[in-house]
Amino acid sequence: MVDLQFYGDLSTTSKVLISLSIMLLTGFLMTRITKIFKLPNVSGYIIGGILIGPYCLKLVSEEMVSHMDFVSDIALSFIAFGVGKFFKKEVLKKAGAKVIVITIFEALMAMLVITISMHFIFKMSWQFSLILGAIASATAPASTMMTIKQYKAKGEFVDVLLQVVALDDIVCLLAFSVATAIATASEGSFSAMDILKPIGFNLLSIVIGVGLAIILRLILNPKRSKENRLILVIMALLSLCAVCSILNVSPLLACMIFSTVYVNITDDTYLFHQIDNFTPPIMLMFFVLSGMKLNLKTLLSVGVIGVSYFFIRIVGKYAGSFLGCLITKQQKDVKYNLGLALIPQAGVAIGLSVLGQRLLPTELGNLLSTIILASSVLYEFVGPSCAKASLFLSHSIEWDKKKRSEVDVIDEETKASLEQLVAESNQKYQENLDLVIPATTHLEERVETGVRLNNRRIERKKGPIH
């Protein structure tokens, strides 16, 4: 074990700066290793976080980890903003109700199997089972998005996956609101505000997101420099993230609506490319931070319940997505592989576990938090590999290569014909200009003739000068 004792003698600013630099360096170095084994970068970030965290090498103290929640909020805001760009009007019209059906099935099936298993197999209370089940419906888009971006995956499978992941959090938030209302009602403390309050706060954050999108549309005129465009959109995102923090709601939904409205009223996709170039260090720190939060000893404390939750949720997600795709008559590539890409679970689930912990007795609340935190990091560890596998199995990563191979594979006879056609075209072009360049001409003369040839071509395009 490495324990940096000099941490205690440094100022808070120094600790923060050193911690952030260690996180960035570790994430970068781990990608060198994952590249050798052909693993997604996200897996390397999480492994690196576990190694440098307070429960392993202690290169970053537990105090620093506890004060870095803002990194998660900012990262989730950028993730949601990036997802929103895929909800263009034409894409939504093409997908229609099919994506909504798939999302409802994959989210609620995970909730159902976890709730039933916890109550009837492990004899947990309905309150605990419902809340844990509702949290199980959440899917973290970050690792899936990073994997898609890393491998430049394209195709119908990717389009469906991105929309399902984006809509998943909406279903999760609604399911959690209903589950907590039922849980409190069973204890005789039911109130309509238990449902209306979180829904109202989420609606308020959405309205603010729509307003910011309209304002951004007005201030990002074509005269703005690309630097100022980036400054203004980040300012808007952080402001919306702060509002969500004040209202104690997830920033995912509001930021997703924010970008969805903006892209539909402007069709400005270049702004999203600017954000993509800005976010890699933030995404790296987010996943490294997830790894640092994993207390390896907590895996023993959750026992059979935690291990069962890990595997049962995977079964629920896969079964739900399969049924949804079956009902909506999706292609085989989507039907058989979508569930593999829905395994990751992190930001939203961790945030909801904090809220759920307050509603349960202390012992059950701690158990809930430990299960979600430990399993979330494990899901983020295996999730990218599963997402990569789903992209390969659905031929989404090989899509570009196939397109290129169809063009590049040309037999010798066709190649010779093309070369002959090019040669004849060049000869006719030169004859039309009454200027032929002999092959035996010296290099200097050929260059001079080439310049005259180019000048004559330009003059013929412009026409006579009056």
Side-chain angles (χ1 to χ4, degrees):
M1 288 288 185
V2 177
D3 195 353
L4 301 182
Q5 300 295 330
F6 68 85
Y7 255 120
D9 300 327
L10 296 177
S11 65
T12 302
T13 301
S14 300
K15 291 179 182 179
V16 170
L17 292 175
I18 292 176
S19 298
L20 293 177
S21 62
I22 290 175
M23 291 167 65
L24 290 169
L25 178 61
T26 302
F28 169 76
L29 294 177
M30 289 304 300
T31 57
R32 305 302 91 191
I33 298 175
T34 54
K35 187 175 182 180
I36 297 174
F37 295 99
K38 296 183 179 180
L39 291 172
N41 290 339
V42 176
S43 300
Y45 298 154
I46 294 174
I47 295 172
I50 295 172
L51 292 176
I52 67 173
Y55 306 108
C56 196
L57 297 178
K58 299 182 180 180
L59 295 180
V60 178
S61 67
E62 188 172 1
E63 178 190 5
M64 288 295 100
V65 173
S66 64
H67 288 87
M68 287 188 181
D69 287 341
F70 70 92
V71 174
S72 299
D73 287 340
I74 294 174
L76 289 172
S77 300
F78 281 107
I79 291 167
F81 186 82
V83 170
K85 69 182 177 183
F86 296 101
F87 284 85
K88 289 186 177 180
K89 294 188 290 288
E90 54 270 22
V91 176
L92 291 174
K93 288 179 181 178
K94 182 181 178 180
K98 292 182 178 180
V99 172
I100 298 175
V101 171
I102 296 171
T103 307
I104 292 174
F105 267 85
E106 60 88 8
L108 296 187
M109 182 63 74
M111 177 180 179
L112 181 64
V113 295
I114 288 293
T115 302
I116 292 175
S117 300
M118 290 298 119
H119 183 71
F120 290 103
I121 298 178
F122 298 102
K123 308 301 179 183
M124 304 301 293
S125 66
W126 276 115
Q127 293 90 341
F128 179 89
S129 302
L130 279 169
I131 293 175
L132 185 61
I135 296 174
S137 65
T139 297
S143 57
T144 302
M145 289 284 292
M146 288 279 284
T147 305
I148 291 172
K149 182 179 177 182
Q150 179 182 350
Y151 294 103
K152 299 179 180 178
K154 298 178 182 178
E156 182 180 352
F157 175 81
V158 175
D159 293 338
V160 174
L161 173 60
L162 289 171
Q163 293 177 67
V164 169
V165 169
L167 288 173
D168 184 271
D169 288 320
I170 299 176
V171 178
C172 174
L173 291 170
L174 293 175
F176 183 80
S177 299
V178 174
T180 51
I182 295 174
T184 53
S186 62
E187 295 181 349
S189 58
F190 174 76
S191 170
M193 291 302 296
D194 293 328
I195 297 178
L196 297 178
K197 188 175 180 180
I199 293 177
F201 283 156
N202 276 288
L203 289 175
L204 178 59
S205 66
I206 289 173
V207 171
I208 295 173
V210 172
L212 281 175
I214 296 172
I215 294 173
L216 200 64
R217 163 69 179 84
L218 297 174
I219 62 178
L220 290 188
N221 56 62
K223 295 181 180 179
R224 299 286 183 195
S225 65
K226 62 180 182 179
E227 292 83 4
N228 286 331
R229 287 166 56 85
L230 184 62
I231 290 170
L232 289 172
V233 70
I234 292 176
M235 176 274 296
L237 264 178
L238 294 181
S239 299
L240 187 55
C241 181
V243 169
C244 292
S245 178
I246 294 171
L247 297 176
N248 200 25
V249 297
S250 170
L252 283 173
L253 188 56
C255 292
M256 184 184 69
I257 296 296
F258 170 44
S259 62
T260 299
V261 173
Y262 178 79
V263 76
N264 278 287
I265 63 177
T266 64
D267 201 28
D268 178 13
T269 56
Y270 179 72
L271 185 65
F272 293 91
H273 292 301
Q274 285 187 278
I275 292 292
D276 288 340
N277 293 330
F278 177 81
T279 55
I282 299 174
M283 296 297 107
L284 183 154
M285 289 190 290
F286 171 68
F287 288 109
V288 171
L289 181 62
S290 297
M292 291 193 296
K293 288 182 176 180
L294 178 60
N295 185 346
L296 300 178
K297 295 180 181 178
T298 60
L299 296 178
L300 300 176
S301 66
V302 298
V304 179
I305 296 178
V307 174
S308 300
Y309 170 84
F310 181 81
F311 289 105
I312 292 173
R313 179 183 170 274
I314 293 176
V315 173
K317 282 286 181 181
Y318 190 89
S321 63
F322 184 87
L323 287 175
C325 292
L326 191 64
I327 292 172
T328 57
K329 298 179 180 180
Q330 294 290 327
Q331 294 182 0
K332 288 184 178 180
D333 286 342
V334 179
K335 180 168 58 178
Y336 289 104
N337 300 302
L338 184 62
L340 289 175
L342 300 176
I343 291 175
Q345 182 182 54
V348 174
I350 294 172
L352 294 180
S353 68
V354 175
L355 299 176
Q357 186 177 8
R358 300 170 187 171
L359 300 173
L360 296 170
T362 304
E363 185 177 349
L364 288 178
N366 291 335
L367 177 62
L368 176 75
S369 179
T370 301
I371 289 174
I372 296 301
L373 183 59
S375 62
S376 292
V377 177
L378 291 177
Y379 280 133
E380 288 298 299
F381 177 60
V382 302
S385 298
C386 292
K388 178 183 176 182
S390 71
L391 294 173
F392 269 113
L393 292 173
S394 64
H395 308 292
S396 299
I397 291 178
E398 299 174 348
W399 188 81
D400 275 340
K401 293 181 181 179
K402 287 183 178 179
K403 290 292 184 183
R404 286 195 296 271
S405 63
E406 292 175 359
V407 177
D408 293 342
V409 179
I410 304 175
D411 56 66
E412 292 299 323
E413 183 179 353
T414 305
K415 186 176 180 180
S417 300
L418 289 173
E419 290 176 350
Q420 179 65 25
L421 180 62
V422 171
E424 291 175 356
S425 299
N426 287 336
Q427 184 177 0
K428 289 180 179 179
Y429 179 71
Q430 292 176 356
E431 290 174 354
N432 288 337
L433 294 175
D434 300 324
L435 184 62
V436 179
I437 306 177
T440 55
T441 308
H442 293 295
L443 177 61
E444 293 81 0
E445 295 175 352
R446 296 181 68 184
V447 171
E448 184 179 352
T449 306
V451 172
R452 295 202 309 272
L453 178 65
N454 186 55
N455 291 337
R456 187 174 296 182
R457 177 180 62 83
I458 295 172
E459 290 174 3
R460 289 199 173 192
K461 279 188 175 182
K462 290 181 178 179
I465 300 175
H466 299 289

